[in-house]
């Protein structure tokens, strides 16, 4: 595993440029500002699968909110190489919970985030099929298992062909078999669409399996303490010894990344 401190040159329009000098929140009394991110600078080449790993409360969700444009209150720059900002383009999201609308069918839950053109409806159906849910197009979320609901959420995240897909621990607290199936499905769609992915996780094994690169964040105010490329050929196997030896090497060479002490 190579510590990739040199940034790759940017040469495609939707390479992402992040340069946050500071992101703070006012506390309730407004007398103290809580500094969540300080001096965080990184670029993400278009189509890269990038995992963010860091201790709880370090600022990962804050960073996703800034990347999505949900929160625009920062001192710094987040933009694409062509000068546009992420929210000028389709963005995909996936959270810890599938967040489906209980009163809508599977198909409606996917198409609802589109303009519902015939092309988009066709893509929705294709994605639902890809997720192995063709028999459940007209079912309601309450008729699906938790894993199936997350498959719908994956289809919905890709239906707008997002330039960037933001995932906040989407497979946390799932049993291992279901989680692994969903990871494979996510990778399949990512490979088809070549979307830039920013994936937050606490699970180093998951990060190594999924990503091209892992950024490790310090405890708050958050900054990047390590930037590693994962140079393992794809498709990867979850039980591959190479993945596990990388994990062990990483933890033994850099115990600080999981201790949350920096
Ligand atoms: P993580 O996702 O890594 O667990 P967060 O981004 O949720 O961390 O939080 C980072 C820091 O910012 C924490 O100290 C948290 O208390 C603070 N924070 C997050 N959201 C708000 C908010 N809306 N108002 C005030 N402080 C916040």
């Amino acid at each position: 595993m190579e510590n990739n401190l040199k940034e790759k040159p940017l040469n495609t329009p939707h390479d992402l440029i992040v340069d946050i000098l500071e992101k703070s929140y006012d506390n309730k009394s407004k007398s103290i500002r809580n500094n969540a991110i300080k001096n965080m600078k990184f670029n993400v080449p278009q189509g890269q699968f990038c995992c963010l790993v860091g201790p709880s409360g370090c600022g990962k969700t804050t960073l996703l909110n800034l990347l999505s444009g949900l929160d625009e209150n920062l001192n710094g720059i987040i933009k694409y190489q062509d000068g546009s900002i992420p929210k000028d383009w389709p963005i995909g999201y996936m959270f810890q919970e599938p967040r489906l609308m209980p009163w809508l069918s599977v198909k409606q839950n996917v198409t609802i985030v589109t303009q519902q053109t015939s092309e988009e409806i066709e893509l929705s159906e294709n994605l639902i099929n890809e997720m192995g849910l063709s028999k459940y197009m007209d079912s309601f979320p309450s008729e699906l298992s938790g894993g199936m609901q997350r498959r719908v959420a994956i289809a919905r995240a890709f239906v707008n062909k997002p330039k960037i897909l933001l995932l906040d621990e989407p497979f946390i607290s799932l049993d291992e078999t279901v989680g692994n199936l969903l990871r494979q499905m996510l990778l399949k769609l990512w490979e088809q669409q070549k979307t830039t992915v920013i994936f937050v996780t606490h699970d180093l094994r998951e990060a190594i399996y999924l990503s091209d690169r892992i950024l490790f964040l310090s405890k708050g105010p958050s900054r990047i303490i390590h930037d590693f490329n994962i140079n393992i050929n794809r498709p990867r196997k979850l039980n591959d010894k190479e993945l596990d030896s990388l994990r062990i090497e990483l933890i033994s060479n850099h115990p600080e990344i999981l201790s949350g002490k920096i």
Side-chain angles (χ1 to χ4, degrees):
M1 190 177 299
E2 155 199 345
N3 205 341
N4 171 38
L5 293 173
K6 261 195 231 152
E7 290 284 355
K8 285 189 182 157
L10 300 180
N11 47 26
T12 29
H14 294 102
D15 291 339
L16 182 71
I17 299 167
V18 178
D19 187 356
I20 303 170
L21 300 175
E22 190 186 297
K23 165 65 193 171
S24 318
Y25 294 103
D26 284 326
N27 78 352
K28 285 205 177 100
S29 69
K30 305 256 177 193
S31 54
I32 304 171
R33 290 188 49 88
N34 177 2
N35 205 340
I37 298 178
K38 200 160 171 65
N39 296 329
M40 181 180 286
K41 194 171 172 176
F42 61 94
N43 298 329
V44 185
Q46 190 176 327
Q48 187 172 65
F49 199 123
C50 184
C51 276
L52 300 177
V53 177
S56 186
C58 79
K60 300 181 294 295
T61 304
T62 299
L63 180 58
L64 292 190
N65 288 340
L66 293 173
L67 292 174
S68 67
L70 275 176
D71 183 353
E72 296 179 290
N73 185 8
L74 80 158
N75 178 3
I77 293 168
I78 294 176
K79 63 174 185 182
Y80 287 126
Q81 162 78 355
D82 68 1
S84 62
I85 57 172
K87 77 170 194 181
D88 291 340
W89 300 90
I91 299 177
Y93 289 97
M94 219 183 134
F95 306 93
Q96 289 179 13
E97 330 76 49
R99 299 195 186 181
L100 303 181
M101 318 272 181
W103 60 91
L104 297 181
S105 69
V106 164
K107 186 168 157 187
Q108 288 166 333
N109 262 288
V110 176
T111 56
I112 193 159
V113 298
T114 71
Q115 303 294 315
Q116 316 214 2
T117 63
S118 52
E119 209 176 285
E120 287 168 330
I121 290 174
E122 193 185 331
L123 177 59
S124 305
E125 288 172 355
N126 289 343
L127 288 167
I128 293 166
N129 290 340
E130 294 259 19
M131 293 295 105
L133 294 173
S134 46
K135 286 192 204 144
Y136 299 90
M137 286 283 174
D138 300 318
S139 303
F140 290 92
S142 60
E143 300 171 291
L144 307 179
S145 68
M148 289 158 89
Q149 291 183 22
R150 279 176 178 82
R151 285 193 249 163
V152 179
I154 296 177
R156 185 181 54 189
F158 279 94
V159 75
N160 280 318
K161 298 191 179 160
K163 295 282 177 237
I164 190 166
L165 174 57
L166 305 170
L167 302 106
D168 198 352
E169 304 196 83
F171 307 138
I172 200 167
S173 71
L174 287 174
D175 89 48
E176 203 174 317
T177 317
V178 173
N180 289 343
L181 179 67
L182 294 173
R183 288 179 192 102
Q184 286 164 16
M185 289 177 154
L186 170 66
L187 285 176
K188 189 172 167 197
L189 296 188
W190 166 68
E191 275 162 10
Q192 278 172 17
Q193 291 201 7
K194 300 284 176 232
T195 309
T196 303
V197 172
I198 309 287
F199 187 109
V200 166
T201 178
H202 279 101
D203 180 348
L204 195 47
R205 201 184 296 265
E206 175 177 52
I208 292 173
Y209 171 66
L210 290 173
S211 71
D212 295 320
R213 176 191 187 187
I214 307 178
L215 296 177
F216 288 96
L217 308 186
S218 67
K219 68 179 184 183
S222 187
R223 65 194 159 81
I224 291 166
I225 50 169
H226 289 292
D227 182 348
F228 289 105
N229 282 332
I230 309 297
N231 298 316
I232 301 178
N233 291 340
R234 296 180 189 272
R236 297 174 186 165
K237 290 207 181 85
L238 269 156
N239 52 1
D240 191 335
K241 283 197 181 121
E242 203 181 348
L243 267 65
D244 220 34
S245 45
L246 261 180
R247 188 177 62 84
I248 292 162
E249 181 193 327
L250 187 60
I251 297 169
S252 24
N253 291 344
H254 303 282
E256 72 281 5
I257 59 179
L258 294 184
S259 68
K261 286 195 181 131
I262 41 176

